[in-house]
Amino acid sequence: GLSRQEVNLRRLLAKCELLIKNNQKDDERFPKYISSLEEMVKEIKSQCTPNDNIPDYVKRIKSLKFQLGMISDEELAAGDAEKQKPNSREELLGIRKRNVGKSNVTGDLDHMINLHQNMQEKIAEEMLELTTSLKEHSTLASKIIKKDNEVIGRSAQLTEQNFSKLKVESEKLTEHSKRAWKCWMWVLLLIVMIV
């Protein structure tokens, strides 16, 4: 349930923190980044839905400013002190807002729980379908492998039979060629004798 603006804010914050972590504080784009971060925070504050992450975002932006040297140590400490000491009117208003928002929060929680349960059920159904399809594929694959093994065994037997037949035929052919040579030899001897 994050809004698009909040997602953009988180991405830009992460990018700025990464740039500072990588010692790229001299980047010329930092002032533009900081101003756009502050504008995004203002836009998120102006939205109707209450957001608990805004103080965290403001704190992170201030620490970025401090690390870049845009604010001093005293200004950072003063901002934290102001946050810690809200006046009584804001405190009362905050309590009223919290009391009013409790029913919405419980409704939202129930809605979120239902959504999560539905998602878990869908995931479980998909996993069951996947397991059944995997089982079917594995049985089909085992059947195909068995058939292939049978075909290989038959072809091996056929090759052995053909090899033995070929051996017998080759022996017959050699015998026949020997007989034919002997016959021709006798014919040639007879011709020589006649001559």
Side-chain angles (χ1 to χ4, degrees):
L2 293 177
S3 65
R4 190 174 181 182
Q5 193 72 20
E6 194 169 351
V7 170
N8 291 337
L9 173 71
R10 285 186 175 197
R11 284 183 183 164
L12 190 56
L13 259 172
K15 184 178 180 180
C16 290
E17 287 170 348
L18 186 69
L19 285 171
I20 288 176
K21 193 176 182 182
N22 293 335
N23 292 326
Q24 296 178 355
K25 295 179 183 179
D26 301 331
D27 199 332
E28 298 172 357
R29 298 173 289 179
F30 265 120
K32 291 179 184 176
Y33 287 161
I34 298 294
S35 61
S36 59
L37 282 170
E38 288 173 342
E39 287 173 14
M40 286 178 187
V41 168
K42 285 177 186 174
E43 287 178 19
I44 292 169
K45 278 182 183 176
S46 65
Q47 291 174 354
C48 301
T49 55
N51 197 330
D52 296 334
N53 297 326
I54 290 173
D56 182 46
Y57 298 145
V58 171
K59 188 177 179 183
R60 285 167 70 184
I61 292 169
K62 281 193 176 181
S63 70
L64 284 174
K65 280 181 166 182
F66 175 69
Q67 288 174 352
L68 292 169
M70 297 171 92
I71 58 171
S72 64
D73 212 4
E74 294 152 2
E75 288 174 318
L76 185 70
D80 290 340
E82 284 176 14
K83 278 183 195 173
Q84 288 172 359
K85 294 179 182 178
N87 61 23
S88 58
R89 185 173 179 225
E90 286 177 358
E91 211 170 287
L92 287 170
L93 288 173
I95 290 166
R96 284 182 187 166
K97 282 181 186 174
R98 285 182 195 146
N99 290 337
V100 171
K102 274 184 183 175
S103 60
N104 291 338
V105 169
T106 54
D108 289 343
L109 283 173
D110 292 338
H111 182 68
M112 290 291 286
I113 289 168
N114 289 334
L115 279 174
H116 282 291
Q117 284 177 347
N118 291 337
M119 286 179 71
Q120 285 176 350
E121 288 172 3
K122 284 180 184 176
I123 291 167
E125 288 173 5
E126 288 175 1
M127 287 176 72
L128 282 171
E129 289 173 6
L130 280 170
T131 51
T132 51
S133 65
L134 278 169
K135 196 174 182 180
E136 289 172 2
H137 286 298
S138 62
T139 52
L140 280 171
S142 65
K143 285 178 183 176
I144 291 167
I145 289 166
K146 284 178 183 175
K147 284 180 183 177
D148 289 345
N149 286 335
E150 288 174 5
V151 169
I152 289 167
R154 286 176 194 164
S155 63
Q157 288 176 355
L158 284 171
T159 50
E160 285 176 6
Q161 289 174 1
N162 288 339
F163 183 71
S164 60
K165 284 180 183 176
L166 188 66
K167 204 171 184 182
V168 169
E169 292 297 324
S170 65
E171 287 173 0
K172 283 181 183 177
L173 188 65
T174 51
E175 284 179 22
H176 186 67
S177 64
K178 284 179 184 177
R179 284 181 193 164
W181 185 75
K182 284 179 183 176
C183 182
W184 280 108
M185 193 177 101
W186 285 111
V187 169
L188 283 172
L189 278 173
L190 187 67
I191 291 169
V192 169
M193 293 281 287
I194 292 168
V195 170

